[in-house]
């Protein structure tokens, strides 16, 4: 077998590894001229094209943890799924949706459906990820990060930093955060962004203004309990950053039910920009995530990442969206 790799072709041609991989696989998104350059260099260096045939992806599993398969999570992950589906349609691939639970069940479902690769969306226990890695099949994480596995994420930390900084510029100083389990990479990073914004503004983080909503799969109860705990503490917040829009919308209803005005008494901001955020009363400020791009880029990484290269880690930009729930006006 030839020892020439995709990385060798990329180095010789001056093209990126992803471009070379797409050119060799005859995938879309490249000009005819670029595709010809890739194929010419592959032939010149003696690349063994049978390597591609052995690793060709035809059926992809979109894996979603059962704790995300809820009404609160569905506006986010359904958009991620649509993004992945759009690439599959373009490339003629089959996408199978699997709600993942215990390790054995995930592997059994993957075996039954004869999956060639995995796109794992959201949080997964290390045991599940390790079992998937042992199959030797390509895998990309979406909205999650783990060392040694390819991943694509929105810029969680910067988005939360932007949200908190916006509240600080609006004159808020008692800014609280409703977060979730730090086992979730996205929530951990969003909490870090909140603290970084306070630090850079010269404000010491107050543990009394930080609460964790337990049991994210239990609907509204965890967020409501966290908010009650927050409002009952010594220092009442004049603004709240929530770990996502679904949580912020629950908090909004509770705050309004307590007779608090928004944003006059308390400003509120979420994360993700799900459709319900703009329809809320008042409309919810948030951090916009291009959810379909997450799914599309995750799927494209499965198709273009060379098996002999290091795992890619992409971070997509986010955008602060200021609406009436936090506007200083």
């Amino acid at each position: 077998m030839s020892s020439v790799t995709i990385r060798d072709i990329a180095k010789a041609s001056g093209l990126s590894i992803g471009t070379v991989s797409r050119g060799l696989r005859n995938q879309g998104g490249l000009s005819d001229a670029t595709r010809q350059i890739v194929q010419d260099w592959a032939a010149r260096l003696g690349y063994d094209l049978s390597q591609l045939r052995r690793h060709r992806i035809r059926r992809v599993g979109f894996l979603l943890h059962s704790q995300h398969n809820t009404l609160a999570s569905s506006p986010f992950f359904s958009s991620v799924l649509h993004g992945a589906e759009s690439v599959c349609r373009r490339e003629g691939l089959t996408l199978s949706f699997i709600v993942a639970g215990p390790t054995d069940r995930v592997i059994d479902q993957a075996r039954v459906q004869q999956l060639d690769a995995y796109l794992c969306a959201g949080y997964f226990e290390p045991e599940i990820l390790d079992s998937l890695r042992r199959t030797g099949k390509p895998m990309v994480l979406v909205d999650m990060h783990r060392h040694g596995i390819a991943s694509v994420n929105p810029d969680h930390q910067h988005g939360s930093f932007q949200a908190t900084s916006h509240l600080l510029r609006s004159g808020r100083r008692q800014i609280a955060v409703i977060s979730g389990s730090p086992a979730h990479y996205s929530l951990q990073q969003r909490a870090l962004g909140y603290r970084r914004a306070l630090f850079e503004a010269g404000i010491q983080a107050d543990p009394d203004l930080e609460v964790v909503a337990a049991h994210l799969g239990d609907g509204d109860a965890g967020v409501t309990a966290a908010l009650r705990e927050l409002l009952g503490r010594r220092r009442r917040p004049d603004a709240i950053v929530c770990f996502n829009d679904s949580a912020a919308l629950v908090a909004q209803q509770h705050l309004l039910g307590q007779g608090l005005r928004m944003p006059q008494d308390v400003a509120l901001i979420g994360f993700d920009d799900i459709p319900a955020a703009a329809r809320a009363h008042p409309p919810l400020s948030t951090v916009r995530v291009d959810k379909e791009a997450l799914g599309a880029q995750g799927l494209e990484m499965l198709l273009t990442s060379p098996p002999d290269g290091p795992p890619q880690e992409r971070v997509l930009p986010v955008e602060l969206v200021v609406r009436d729930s936090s506007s200083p006006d």
Side-chain angles (χ1 to χ4, degrees), residues 174-182 187-188 190-192 194-195 198 205-216 221-237 239-244 247-248 251 254-255 268:
Q174 301 292 104
I175 303 174
V177 62
I178 297 179
S179 190
S181 169
L187 305 188
Q188 174 198 80
R190 293 176 187 185
L192 287 174
Y194 158 82
R195 296 191 193 104
L198 294 180
D206 184 349
D208 279 350
L209 292 175
E210 299 185 25
V211 292
V212 173
H215 311 300
L216 299 185
V223 175
T224 301
L227 185 59
R228 285 175 179 160
E229 180 183 351
L230 188 61
L231 295 178
R233 289 183 173 177
R234 176 178 54 85
R235 299 177 65 190
R236 192 159 191 166
I240 301 173
V241 178
C242 289
F243 61 85
N244 65 22
H254 184 80
L255 291 167
L268 184 68

Side-chain angles (χ1 to χ4, degrees), residues 57-172:
I57 294 174
R58 295 182 177 85
R59 188 180 297 270
V60 178
F62 185 97
L63 275 57
L64 183 69
H65 198 289
S66 55
Q67 68 174 258
H68 293 310
N69 191 33
T70 64
L71 185 62
S73 296
S74 61
F76 182 91
F77 288 108
S78 62
S79 295
V80 175
L81 175 61
H82 290 158
E85 286 176 330
S86 68
V87 177
C88 286
R89 285 194 299 271
R90 185 188 76 201
E91 302 292 345
L93 307 176
T94 299
L95 189 68
S96 299
F97 177 72
I98 297 176
V99 176
T103 301
D104 292 343
R105 195 168 71 196
V106 173
I107 297 302
D108 289 343
Q109 290 186 69
R111 187 178 300 114
V112 168
Q113 300 199 35
Q114 298 181 321
L115 301 179
D116 301 315
Y118 310 109
L119 193 65
C120 302
Y123 171 77
F124 283 91
E125 292 90 351
E127 295 80 8
I128 291 181
L129 295 180
D130 287 341
S131 67
L132 292 172
R133 291 180 76 176
R134 285 194 293 270
T135 67
K137 296 179 179 179
M139 174 169 57
V140 170
L141 307 181
V142 175
D143 197 40
M144 188 184 176
H145 177 272
R146 192 177 183 200
H147 181 71
I149 303 178
S151 63
V152 55
N153 281 277
D155 199 337
H156 298 292
Q157 186 174 148
H158 184 62
S160 188
F161 175 86
Q162 285 184 304
T164 308
S165 298
H166 153 68
L167 294 171
L168 289 166
R169 289 193 301 271
S170 301
R172 312 287 173 164

